[in-house]
Amino acid sequence: AMAFIGSNSVIPGYLTALGASAAIVGVVTSLQNASWLLPQLFTARTRAVKPLKKPHILRPAAAGRLLFLVLGLVLWLTRARPAWLMLTLSTIAIIGFWIGDGMASVPWFDLLSKIIPPRRRGRLTSVGQVMSGVLGFAAGCAVEGLLSNQGPAFPNNYVSIFLLGFASLAVSFVATSLIVEPSGAPTEPNPSWSEYLPQLWHVLKNDHAFRRFILARQLFGLSGLATPFYMTYALTQLDLPAQVAGRYTSISVLGSILAAVLMGWLNERSGSKRVILLSIGMAACVPVLAMVLPWVLSPGPALAWGYGLVFFAMSATMSSMMP
């Protein structure tokens, strides 16, 4: 699904096609990250004490996933006119999806910890990423075909992409609903905000290793500020064709597959810290490649293919997050 609606390639290309400036693309992408992360703070307060996690995954997930069906239908009916209205509605749908996914993520990780032993989680996530990566590679090829000159005209090309993304999300929703969840501990009362916020501060104040990890994680996350601009730069400054969004999606998937295998093996062999250090090194390669490749590769097919290394490294970095 994320190969069809990827925030690093397809969504920036779609917003650019609607006439969005680089600043707007950057704001929307930043809002995606905030919309996924901030709801987790509130969800953790009310969902952590629930004995069953699955219902609290499915409800927000269903609401968020339906928005891409709505977006595809609205785009088809309006023919992307007027562009400013479609840009506004698209932003609302994209942000709404990530809010729903963020709310579902906290109970999802709780569910994962209930049903999968710690030593098997790295293997599980790696195998899952490889399997989804193979499908994502095929999806990237489909996206390239839909965005090529031989594909449907705008906006039908993006209508097709969003509907395919929704169909994939629907399959994932059904798969999650089929998980058999064991019963948990008895329900405890939700802590009030006056109790909850001091608890968060207490953890940050007294757990020194966790505090250092959070600080490093936030510094690491700042590299994501540049993420949407790699695609915008390719389309507007390097004059690469719109169809490279699909190609770079496939290349990204290849990077995630190879990194998932490596990270899963390294996680079980040497622990998570080695995975973190390696992922930081790969993240540092992304902006370096984006700056160097246009200098060393001639414009045309060589640059159109070579610039994919940026997305390969970016996706490899992101695939390390689960392990």
Side-chain angles (χ1 to χ4, degrees):
M2 299 314 299
F4 287 115
I5 57 174
S7 58
N8 298 332
S9 52
V10 174
I11 293 299
Y14 166 66
L15 297 176
T16 301
L18 285 177
S21 65
I24 292 177
V25 173
V27 167
V28 172
T29 303
S30 297
L31 287 175
Q32 289 181 70
N33 296 330
S35 300
W36 192 74
L37 291 170
L38 290 179
Q40 298 177 23
L41 183 66
F42 300 91
T43 303
R45 170 180 167 264
T46 58
R47 300 294 181 258
V49 298
K50 303 297 183 182
L52 294 177
K53 310 299 181 182
K54 195 169 74 169
H56 306 290
I57 300 171
L58 296 178
R59 284 195 286 268
R65 281 151 173 72
L66 281 171
L67 289 174
F68 269 101
L69 173 62
V70 174
L71 177 59
L73 294 176
V74 171
L75 183 61
W76 178 67
L77 291 171
T78 63
R79 316 308 299 167
R81 292 291 181 268
W84 66 268
L85 178 60
M86 198 62 234
L87 183 59
T88 302
L89 295 176
S90 298
T91 300
I92 293 172
I94 293 166
I95 299 308
F97 166 77
W98 286 109
I99 290 175
D101 201 68
M103 293 177 66
S105 66
V106 172
W108 188 88
F109 279 109
D110 279 347
L111 178 62
L112 183 71
S113 68
K114 285 176 67 175
I115 62 178
I116 305 297
R119 295 296 298 177
R120 298 300 298 273
R121 291 173 196 163
R123 186 178 307 180
L124 171 76
T125 55
S126 296
V127 171
Q129 285 176 311
V130 169
M131 293 174 63
S132 63
V134 172
L135 295 174
F137 187 87
C141 294
V143 170
E144 182 171 7
L146 288 168
L147 295 179
S148 68
N149 294 331
Q150 290 72 40
F154 181 84
N156 287 345
N157 48 4
Y158 283 102
V159 171
S160 303
I161 290 171
F162 292 151
L163 293 182
L164 287 169
F166 168 75
S168 302
L169 290 170
V171 173
S172 76
F173 181 86
V174 172
T176 303
S177 68
L178 294 176
I179 292 174
V180 178
E181 179 184 7
S183 58
T187 301
E188 302 173 2
N190 292 333
S192 65
W193 282 106
S194 61
E195 298 170 327
Y196 179 60
L197 294 178
Q199 289 174 5
L200 300 180
W201 173 247
H202 178 79
V203 171
L204 290 174
K205 180 180 179 181
N206 295 286
D207 193 333
H208 303 296
F210 183 69
R211 185 172 66 240
R212 287 195 299 270
F213 171 76
I214 290 295
L215 177 61
R217 177 68 186 88
Q218 299 314 307
L219 291 172
F220 179 83
L222 287 176
S223 65
L225 291 172
T227 296
F229 300 111
Y230 296 123
M231 191 65 200
T232 303
Y233 178 66
L235 297 176
T236 61
Q237 302 300 316
L238 301 181
D239 295 322
L240 299 181
Q243 69 193 66
V244 296
R247 180 182 307 170
Y248 294 159
T249 298
S250 296
I251 292 175
S252 296
V253 168
L254 183 60
S256 68
I257 292 174
L258 296 178
V261 174
L262 173 62
M263 296 300 185
W265 171 80
L266 187 62
N267 187 70
E268 291 200 358
R269 182 180 177 86
S270 304
S272 297
K273 185 176 179 179
R274 290 288 180 87
V275 174
I276 294 171
L277 293 172
L278 181 58
S279 66
I280 292 174
M282 290 190 299
C285 293
V286 176
V288 173
L289 287 168
M291 290 185 292
V292 170
L293 288 171
W295 289 353
V296 300
L297 297 176
S298 58
L303 181 58
W305 282 99
Y307 193 75
L309 289 173
V310 173
F311 295 87
F312 181 94
M314 192 189 313
S315 184
T317 300
M318 292 179 178
S319 71
S320 70
M321 295 305 298
M322 284 294 291

